[in-house]
Amino acid sequence: MSTPLLIDVNVLVLGSEQGALHHQTAMEWMSRALDRGDQIGIPWHSLLGFFRIATNPRSSRRPLPPDVAWGLITGWLNTAGVWAPLPGPKHAGILGELIHKYAIHADGVSDAHLAALAIEHDLTLV
């Protein structure tokens, strides 16, 4: 069995936005992963980021209506093998180490948070 995965918001956004540069690749990858029954962690950070971007007319060429975007989220979460990993007791320590080691700041904070989740839960970040 493969290592469980942790999905970044960009995979969700690209997979749902028709016409995006890597839409087809992201959509097909996600469909295959779900069909195979891969263990897929989609943190709330990614789910809410997807909702924010996908429904925003300034961020998306074809913004989704809120009920459609929420339907995608609930559909993903109701798929076998998909869950929303949460920060555990080691998260703050791991995140702090990443911040200090790599001088994380500004736009890198969200990525560091996902990296810390991946490390804590032994997941492969996608």
Side-chain angles (χ1 to χ4, degrees):
M1 179 178 224
S2 62
T3 303
L5 307 171
L6 183 71
I7 305 300
D8 178 66
V9 64
N10 293 305
V11 175
L12 303 176
V13 170
L14 292 174
S16 68
E17 180 151 342
Q18 293 181 5
L21 180 59
H22 299 289
H23 165 71
Q24 196 68 30
T25 302
M27 184 185 67
E28 288 174 1
W29 179 88
M30 188 76 165
S31 292
R32 280 192 310 272
L34 292 170
D35 289 346
R36 282 191 308 258
D38 287 356
Q39 294 295 303
I40 299 174
I42 311 176
W44 280 105
H45 177 82
S46 295
L47 292 167
L48 295 175
F50 161 77
F51 190 87
R52 181 179 51 81
I53 294 166
T55 60
N56 186 338
R58 293 183 313 245
S59 301
S60 175
R61 285 181 259 153
R62 294 184 200 136
L64 297 176
D67 59 331
V68 171
W70 190 252
L72 288 170
I73 289 171
T74 57
W76 293 325
L77 290 174
N78 288 321
T79 301
V82 176
W83 82 104
L86 299 172
K90 297 178 184 176
H91 190 77
I94 296 168
L95 182 55
E97 286 179 28
L98 293 172
I99 287 171
H100 293 295
K101 182 175 182 178
Y102 298 104
I104 303 291
H105 63 285
D107 292 338
V109 173
S110 292
D111 290 338
H113 166 64
L114 287 177
L117 272 176
I119 292 166
E120 183 175 18
H121 293 283
D122 196 24
L123 306 171
T124 299
L125 182 57
V126 178

